[in-house]
Amino acid sequence: MKKVSILGVLVVVSLFVASFAFADITVTNASGESITFTDEEIGTIVTSGEKPFEGVTVTVTVNEGGPKGGISGPLYEWRDTWEQLTGAKLNIVEIPYAEHYPKVMTDLYTGTGQFDAFMIGSDWMGELIAGEYIIPVDDYIKDPRFPKWDPDALPPSIRTLYTWGDKWYGVLNDCDGQVLYYRKDILNNPDYRVQFKEKHGYEYNIPPKTWDELYDISEFFNGWDWNDDGEADSGIVMHLKVGAQGMYHYVSLSAPFCILPGEKVDKYHNVYWFDPEDMTPLINDEGHIKALDFQLKLAKTGPDAQVAWSLGEAWDYFLRGKAIFCFSWGDLGSLAQDEARSKVKGKIGCSILPGCYEVYDRSQGQFVKFDDPVVWGNTTGGSWHGVISVLSKNPEATYHLLAFHATNKISLWNAQRGWTGVDPGVKFHFLPPYGTASLDDYVANGFHPEDAKEYLDAYYENFFATNIVPYLRIPGGNEYWVALDRHLSEAYTGALSAQEALDRVARDWEDITNRYGREEQLKVYQESIGYQPE
Amino acid sequence: MRKNRRAKYFFIFPAIIWVLAFTIFPLIYSLGLSFFRVRLGRPAQFVGLNNFARIFSDYKLGNSLRVTLLYVAITVSIQLILGILIALLFNQEIRGKNIFRALLILPIFCTPVAVGYLGLTIFYEEGGPINSILMSLFNLKIPWLSSRIWAWVAVFLLDIWQWTPFCFLVILAGLQSLPEEIYDAAYVDSSSEWEIFRKITFPMIQPVIMIVLLLRLIESFKIFDVVYSLTGGGPGTATEVYSLYTYRTGMKFFDLGYASALGYLLLAIVIVIINFLFRQIREVYE
């Protein structure tokens, strides 16, 4: 009897201890929503309850946006929770977009070290790696002390942006790429389809397969009231203001005009920016000139004011139901679900950007024809994510913060809410059969079911496309982008022709390359695009 | 007496420190920088006069210089003319003059960056207040920020709105200091207001106008804030003024040697113009 009772006590005590040892941890964010983590997911630093980061302050820079702004918002949303779990303090330093890069680089160049981590745009990576300003996180990823996130969930296209060579430097956050948003309800209107066929002699595809087809549709719908709101509407809307990310439109659009697809990266295949043998800019070759001429023509089927519009104004125009097309980032798809500012919820379709039948082949010096449109997926944009400064005095606490945000559950929470600026791109953001997310969850967070399917499938198709536009990741990357931006803007405003504008870009790029050192730049460029000299 | 002499050094000491630390030192330091290729994070490299030579082959600089000179010429002229006209008006007996004067000088107290952002709202092309009024009255929509010329007009308007009151205020003070007796005598000989203005008022306030001109010229050459916040130098490079170009070169691309050379070029231009004006002022006084 005594043995039995001792055994019973032991069992009860064991169960009691085990219930604590393997208790799930539930955290609640600033919006009052809760997420429960298993021990494995949250890591032993939290489950031990020791709070080793007590008294540590982690300082992170991020684009200015406020507590409900893109990319900055999630840091505020989860700050209190993370501080309670770890004992550390989080200091969020918001910096306007245009000033963020110079501020960060000044901190690193001068060795000040006032920031532990930066939420960087991926185009900064070349400079950060070349100067050895950030640390790899591979060892931390394997370490069970930290929150667990899954690098294998990232598509190769996005993984490239977070890594350099075979090392991980970035911790999962945002996945940027531009897809085509279109008004499915209007394009499916049978009267409009008939009128279009009468005018152009063919029926359009929904979504359009090529840029030429998209132009025809955009031109057809431009300048008249197709949504019965009493005002003339537009075919397309773009954000083309100088200094406000307008050049990204050009890069996404121009890829199928000027990148010849091939099995590997060589002098003539899969390159966009520079000749990988000598760093000669390719930006003013025939393919690019044709692409910019096309974009200038396409811009005429949108509002004139878009030349001075940044993201917000262009998105707002589309959300107010004033344009058939907009090609932009994932933010637009989720913002379209917010009925307080969107009239297009449940009316949008999404797809990978259209392609071209003719692509410029530099080896032949002419355009070559393909049987099917050549389509390129893209990772255009910042894919804003955290990296750890080499000057950080608290790299472990800093990584813990970044990894906490990268856990599947928080990442999914962020991706399902438009205001966070965290756009979907990893497997667990997508719906079956591509991923593990649930349509019900998206719907519960305000998505229209059809919109959610379209949106997520388009992004899956984009990030997992066979061809992905190469990303510029070399020292001075920001300066190359700015040169492209300013001269494109000169073309958009009619001050220069496409040829003149791109010649100026090429000239500036040569200057920048020479200043940074051609040989050094070439080496980093080759590494960044995976070019193997023969 | 000796104590007084010591006291004056005591009072002048902070000013000397200030000038040495915040004017002379940066001036000399940036002169040194202009002879080097300086990229933060890498060793500086002596390049002699290369940065200055680069100025002559920099086509972007030509654009920003042109834009700045045009801006200075147009805004300062309009501000002066309007300033004189409004000052003449306020030099008369008007009911509620004090209230109007107080209202008129309010723009001076606004931060230029805030004025630029305010401009973004006012000149917003799709439904902004100005275009809404123009649309309802004349069915007219002006491309304030998307057209190269209208973007200029927007920048001009904001700057003129903000700095005309300064011209007006100083010139009004000049007008009010003119002796009444001269006018009493003048009205005996002529009843033409224009003639009295041309032959008496204008020559007498000319030194004040020259000082206002001088101050506005110096300030206008440094224009940055309004352009930065309103147009960002765009559309294209239509409003990329010299200071904005120098700022980008130095603080965005960290090309500090060349940015210093650019700074010295502006300094040289301003010194030449100011010297010319000083000569004119001296002649007026003499």
Side-chain angles (χ1 to χ4, degrees):
Chain A
M1 185 65 189
K2 200 175 182 181
K3 270 185 186 171
V4 171
S5 63
I6 289 171
L7 193 64
V9 169
L10 280 173
V11 168
V12 170
V13 168
S14 305
L15 284 173
F16 185 73
V17 170
S19 70
F20 276 100
F22 299 100
D24 291 343
I25 288 183
T26 300
V27 297
T28 305
N29 62 22
S31 299
E33 294 184 55
S34 298
I35 287 179
T36 301
F37 288 100
T38 64
D39 285 6
E40 194 191 359
E41 286 168 340
I42 199 70
T44 57
I45 285 174
V46 170
T47 54
S48 70
E50 288 172 3
K51 298 198 174 179
F53 304 136
E54 194 88 59
V56 167
T57 297
V58 173
T59 303
V60 181
T61 70
V62 65
N63 285 341
E64 185 180 40
K68 288 289 178 188
I71 308 300
S72 64
L75 289 172
Y76 286 99
E77 189 69 24
W78 299 98
R79 175 162 66 178
D80 290 350
T81 305
W82 182 75
E83 287 180 349
Q84 284 160 17
L85 290 175
T86 60
K89 290 280 171 209
L90 170 59
N91 179 26
I92 303 164
V93 178
E94 291 188 52
I95 305 173
Y97 166 76
E99 302 304 318
H100 194 177
Y101 174 78
K103 281 263 176 6
V104 164
M105 296 317 294
T106 305
D107 180 75
L108 294 168
Y109 286 152
T110 56
T112 311
Q114 59 177 317
F115 310 121
D116 294 291
F118 323 103
M119 301 300 277
I120 65 161
S122 302
D123 54 320
W124 309 6
M125 193 66 111
E127 187 96 37
L128 294 171
I129 294 291
E132 297 179 359
Y133 292 126
I134 52 176
I135 60 171
V137 294
D138 301 81
D139 290 342
Y140 292 139
I141 294 173
K142 293 176 207 147
D143 192 332
R145 290 181 302 144
F146 296 101
K148 187 180 171 189
W149 63 282
D150 183 8
D152 292 334
L154 276 74
S157 54
I158 294 290
R159 170 195 288 253
T160 305
L161 308 182
Y162 281 69
T163 55
W164 194 273
D166 54 359
K167 286 184 180 168
W168 283 85
Y169 287 87
V171 182
L172 173 64
N173 189 50
D174 180 30
C175 304
D176 273 339
Q178 291 192 331
V179 295
L180 179 68
Y181 295 93
Y182 56 91
R183 287 292 299 276
K184 202 165 57 174
D185 57 327
I186 304 294
L187 292 183
N188 276 310
N189 182 312
D191 293 341
Y192 296 160
R193 292 185 70 102
V194 170
Q195 287 168 30
F196 179 90
K197 192 177 177 185
E198 282 170 5
K199 184 177 177 188
H200 288 279
Y202 72 93
E203 272 191 39
Y204 55 69
N205 294 294
I206 306 175
K209 299 288 177 217
T210 66
W211 281 108
D212 285 333
E213 186 181 11
L214 181 142
Y215 171 78
D216 286 346
I217 302 169
S218 187
E219 193 261 338
F220 172 78
F221 281 101
N222 188 50
W224 57 281
D225 181 16
W226 40 257
N227 62 0
D228 294 328
D229 65 352
E231 292 175 0
D233 302 303
S234 304
I236 195 165
V237 61
M238 295 182 267
H239 46 83
L240 302 177
K241 181 179 179 178
V242 69
Q245 310 185 55
M247 67 289 183
Y248 288 130
H249 269 318
Y250 171 73
V251 173
S252 305
L253 177 150
S254 61
F257 289 82
C258 50
I259 312 179
L260 193 64
E263 285 179 9
K264 62 172 192 164
V265 180
D266 61 29
K267 184 175 171 68
Y268 299 112
H269 297 91
N270 302 316
V271 287
Y272 180 88
W273 305 96
F274 300 95
D275 186 321
E277 291 184 358
D278 57 12
M279 282 300 280
T280 301
L282 305 178
I283 196 72
N284 57 344
D285 72 16
E286 293 297 317
H288 277 283
I289 292 165
K290 186 176 176 185
L292 183 53
D293 269 329
F294 175 82
Q295 195 193 5
L296 296 177
K297 185 174 81 164
L298 182 62
K300 291 199 171 78
T301 66
D304 295 337
Q306 67 189 341
V307 171
W309 279 356
S310 45
L311 288 180
E313 288 122 331
W315 286 350
D316 185 58
Y317 195 79
F318 183 78
L319 295 176
R320 284 192 288 123
K322 303 285 294 170
I324 295 286
F325 295 116
C326 182
F327 58 104
S328 196
W329 288 285
D331 308 60
L332 186 57
S334 47
L335 289 171
Q337 310 308 312
D338 177 3
E339 287 173 275
R341 63 183 293 194
S342 164
K343 290 181 180 170
V344 299
K345 182 177 178 178
K347 298 174 181 172
I348 58 168
C350 303
S351 73
I352 190 170
L353 292 181
C356 291
Y357 281 109
E358 291 189 354
V359 183
Y360 187 65
D361 181 349
R362 285 185 296 116
S363 66
Q364 299 183 45
Q366 63 181 30
F367 286 88
V368 290
K369 285 191 176 172
F370 287 76
D371 294 335
D372 296 310
V374 173
V375 172
W376 286 82
N378 67 79
T379 51
T380 301
S383 289
W384 300 91
H385 60 273
V387 293
I388 303 172
S389 169
V390 72
L391 303 171
S392 171
K393 293 181 184 68
N394 307 295
E396 290 201 344
T398 307
Y399 176 75
H400 195 284
L401 169 79
L402 301 178
F404 178 67
H405 280 262
T407 52
N408 291 14
K409 286 173 179 168
I410 290 190
S411 175
L412 183 62
W413 190 94
N414 288 337
Q416 287 177 336
R417 285 152 188 85
W419 60 266
T420 61
V422 174
D423 295 332
V426 291
K427 280 181 187 162
F428 56 82
H429 293 158
F430 296 120
L431 303 175
Y434 307 126
T436 53
S438 141
L439 181 61
D440 291 343
D441 283 349
Y442 277 95
V443 173
N445 285 300
F447 271 83
H448 187 282
E450 288 305 313
D451 288 358
K453 279 187 214 161
E454 289 263 355
Y455 170 67
L456 294 166
D457 287 355
Y459 267 99
Y460 182 85
E461 199 185 346
N462 177 65
F463 288 136
F464 287 87
T466 313
N467 305 317
I468 297 286
V469 181
Y471 200 92
L472 184 65
R473 299 196 304 163
I474 57 178
N478 188 251
E479 203 172 340
Y480 290 101
W481 274 110
V482 170
L484 177 64
D485 183 35
R486 59 183 284 154
H487 296 309
L488 285 177
S489 183
E490 287 175 321
Y492 298 148
T493 54
L496 298 178
S497 69
Q499 170 93 60
E500 288 166 337
L502 294 177
D503 282 348
R504 284 192 177 186
V505 178
R507 184 175 163 183
D508 284 5
W509 283 9
E510 284 282 28
D511 285 347
I512 299 165
T513 302
N514 289 335
R515 262 192 296 115
Y516 277 82
R518 187 165 294 269
E519 289 308 312
E520 285 173 51
Q521 292 293 84
L522 182 62
K523 185 171 171 289
V524 181
Y525 178 62
Q526 288 176 341
E527 273 177 25
S528 73
I529 61 170
Y531 173 81
Q532 303 284 341
E534 286 171 7
Chain B
M1 192 65 186
R2 187 173 285 175
K3 243 184 186 177
N4 280 348
R5 266 192 209 149
R6 274 188 202 154
K8 80 181 175 192
Y9 291 124
F10 176 76
F11 284 114
I12 211 167
F13 185 70
I16 291 172
I17 294 294
W18 180 272
V19 170
L20 283 175
F22 297 110
T23 306
I24 305 298
F25 172 71
L27 200 70
I28 295 170
Y29 187 74
S30 59
L31 182 66
L33 278 183
S34 67
F35 298 115
F36 286 84
R37 177 182 289 167
V38 184
R39 285 195 33 78
L40 289 173
R42 296 172 195 197
Q45 195 185 340
F46 182 74
V47 291
L49 292 171
N50 273 10
N51 284 325
F52 291 96
R54 206 173 132 195
I55 283 172
F56 296 100
S57 60
D58 185 352
Y59 71 96
K60 288 169 282 184
L61 177 68
N63 173 66
S64 66
L65 257 181
R66 255 194 317 277
V67 163
T68 308
L69 289 172
L70 190 72
Y71 163 82
V72 170
I74 292 178
T75 56
V76 174
S77 312
I78 295 177
Q79 284 163 15
L80 267 185
I81 293 168
L82 284 179
I84 293 169
L85 291 176
I86 301 171
L88 286 171
L89 181 70
F90 274 74
N91 204 30
Q92 317 287 317
E93 285 307 314
I94 314 170
R95 276 182 66 180
K97 191 163 76 174
N98 289 345
I99 296 170
F100 285 124
R101 191 170 53 201
L103 287 175
L104 256 176
I105 61 168
L106 281 179
I108 302 177
F109 302 112
C110 298
T111 312
V113 169
V115 171
Y117 284 117
L118 184 71
L120 272 182
T121 316
I122 293 172
F123 295 120
Y124 187 59
E125 289 171 29
E126 298 288 324
I130 294 183
N131 270 5
S132 294
I133 293 168
L134 291 174
M135 275 300 280
S136 60
L137 293 178
F138 311 110
N139 198 25
L140 176 70
K141 191 163 83 175
I142 293 178
W144 289 110
L145 302 175
S146 57
S147 138
R148 296 172 67 80
I149 293 169
W150 283 106
W152 261 119
V153 175
V155 173
F156 287 167
L157 285 176
L158 283 185
D159 196 75
I160 290 165
W161 171 78
Q162 181 162 36
W163 293 112
T164 297
F166 169 77
C167 302
F168 143 72
L169 205 63
V170 180
I171 294 168
L172 181 65
L175 283 173
Q176 290 180 342
S177 68
L178 297 182
E180 290 281 329
E181 300 79 27
I182 295 175
Y183 285 95
D184 294 340
Y187 278 116
V188 173
D189 292 333
S190 170
S191 60
S192 163
E193 291 286 346
W194 168 242
E195 204 174 350
I196 288 172
F197 172 76
R198 200 163 54 88
K199 291 188 173 162
I200 295 177
T201 311
F202 188 72
M204 287 177 73
I205 59 164
Q206 211 175 339
V208 177
I209 293 174
M210 293 301 266
I211 295 293
V212 172
L213 175 65
L214 198 72
L215 292 173
R216 283 308 305 141
L217 277 179
I218 294 170
E219 279 301 307
S220 297
F221 269 109
K222 295 189 293 185
I223 173 81
F224 177 83
D225 329 48
V226 171
V227 175
Y228 179 80
S229 50
L230 180 65
T231 63
T237 49
T239 58
E240 191 180 62
V241 288
Y242 195 90
S243 302
L244 186 60
Y245 181 62
T246 309
Y247 161 78
R248 283 183 176 151
T249 305
M251 303 314 294
K252 277 190 88 101
F253 309 139
F254 302 105
D255 193 355
L256 294 174
Y258 185 51
S260 300
L262 291 176
Y264 270 88
L265 176 66
L266 182 65
L267 184 67
I269 292 170
V270 174
I271 285 175
V272 168
I273 292 173
I274 300 306
N275 264 330
F276 173 76
L277 272 177
F278 264 127
R279 264 191 217 155
Q280 301 295 312
I281 292 173
R282 226 173 282 142
E283 280 173 21
V284 167
Y285 272 109
E286 284 165 5

